[in-house]
Amino acid sequence: MLDAEFIRGRILEALPGSEVEVRDYTGTGDHYEARVVSPDFAGKAMVQQHQLVYAPLQQWLKSGELHALALKTYSPEQWKKLGTR
């Protein structure tokens, strides 16, 4: 079973310098949600941002071990505009 820290670590390896928060939203160890703020997202469409996050997790998504990962992705500028910093 995967845990939030494992998923967070995989995302950080692929997107160093990002701010990543992951939580298991069902308690079953296979449904997670993540908020990722990354400079790598600047100028990219949301679908491109999500592809960057999903890429390092493909093995677990394909096997079904990671059944769902809901994403909220932002560039630092987008995150700042939301006033959450």
Side-chain angles (χ1 to χ4, degrees):
M1 185 184 308
L2 302 176
D3 66 14
E5 269 310 301
F6 175 82
I7 295 168
R8 182 177 181 275
R10 295 294 299 182
I11 295 169
L12 282 170
E13 283 178 23
L15 299 167
S18 298
E19 180 182 321
V20 180
E21 185 178 305
V22 179
R23 79 176 187 95
D24 181 344
Y25 68 89
T26 63
T28 59
D30 63 350
H31 289 76
Y32 290 88
E33 63 183 12
R35 178 184 48 82
V36 183
V37 180
S38 177
D40 292 339
F41 297 157
K44 291 187 173 48
M46 186 182 302
V47 70
Q48 294 170 310
Q49 294 174 10
H50 288 198
Q51 289 169 338
L52 289 171
V53 176
Y54 286 133
L57 300 166
Q58 283 303 308
Q59 173 184 343
W60 297 275
L61 289 162
K62 286 179 182 177
S63 74
E65 193 171 354
L66 177 55
H67 181 73
L69 179 62
L71 295 178
K72 293 183 180 176
T73 57
Y74 309 93
S75 68
E77 295 77 24
Q78 290 169 323
W79 186 242
K80 189 175 180 179
K81 284 181 185 177
L82 289 174
T84 51
R85 277 203 159 195

